[in-house]
Each structure stands twice: as C-alpha cells, then as structure tokens.
Amino acid sequence: MTPLLVILGAMIGAPMRYLTDRAIQTRHDSVFPWGTLTVNLTGCLILGALSGAAVSSPTYALIGTGFCGALTTYSTFGYETVRLAEQRAYLYATLNVAVSLVAGLGAALLGYTTAHALG
C-alpha cells in the first residue's frame, strides 16, 4: 500500500512543481530561479509541518515522500546554480545557494514548530 501512496502523491506533486515553476518564473524578468526556490521552500515548510505534527506513516508516504518528493528538486537547484555561474551571474549563483539553504532550513523549522505547537 505504501508504494501506491507515494505514487499518488508524486502524481500530484510533479505537475504542481512544473506549473508553479512556470507560473512564477514567467512573472519575473530575471535569471534568478524564483520558481525552483518557491517549490523547494514550500516543500521544506510542508515536510517540517509533517514532522512537527508527527503524522502517521501512510500520511507521510503520501504527502512527505510522494508529494514533496516530486514537488521539490535538488537536481534543478544544482543545475540552475551551475548555469548561473556559467553565465557569470556569480552574485545570483551565490544568493541562490545561500537563500535556498537558510530559507529552506527556516521554512522547515517554521513548519515544525507551528505544527508541533498546534498539535
């Protein structure tokens, strides 16, 4: 049953990542990868909340592993950072790494503490 829950979550998370990324990126006239940053921070917030709420294994498989696993993208983050450096957009590349790391940890902590406090 768990693999089916992961697949179901991924079936929702993958198109959500693509659509969110495209919708956000088309609104910004910048080489900075705003869409990828948004989906990754959203995933961090959701995973933090799931951990703080101590959800059941099936719920975590569906939302945490399936949905968030397909929503977030470390490989695209890495690729876009390298691409920025290749374009000599060193400030954007550095900001992408720093903001992704700091804000991602902050989003996970915010999700965790909020869900833990409410639960």
Side-chain angles (χ1 to χ4, degrees), residues 8-61:
L8 179 60
M11 288 173 59
I12 298 165
M16 178 89 61
R17 178 179 91 75
Y18 175 77
L19 294 171
T20 301
D21 179 64
R22 293 297 88 211
I24 290 172
Q25 205 59 43
T26 57
R27 287 185 168 86
H28 294 278
D29 187 27
S30 169
V31 296
F32 190 83
W34 291 107
T36 301
L37 179 65
T38 301
V39 295
N40 286 343
L41 295 182
T42 301
C44 288
L45 181 70
I46 294 169
L47 283 172
L50 290 174
S51 296
V55 298
S56 66
S57 291
T59 301
Y60 194 86

Side-chain angles (χ1 to χ4, degrees), residues 4 6 20-21 30 48 50 57 65 70 80 99-100 111 114 117:
L4 293 176
V6 172
T20 301
D21 179 64
S30 169
L50 290 174
S57 291
T65 305
E80 289 173 342
V99 170
S100 293
T114 302

Side-chain angles (χ1 to χ4, degrees), residues 64-117:
T65 305
F67 178 76
C68 287
L71 177 70
T72 61
T73 172
Y74 189 78
S75 58
T76 303
F77 157 72
Y79 166 76
E80 289 173 342
T81 302
V82 169
R83 191 195 66 202
L84 288 168
E86 287 176 343
Q87 295 172 345
R88 301 191 193 296
Y90 300 118
L91 177 61
Y92 283 139
T94 302
L95 284 172
N96 191 37
V97 172
V99 170
S100 293
L101 180 62
V102 173
L105 290 171
L109 181 61
L110 176 64
Y112 179 89
T113 55
T114 302
H116 189 71

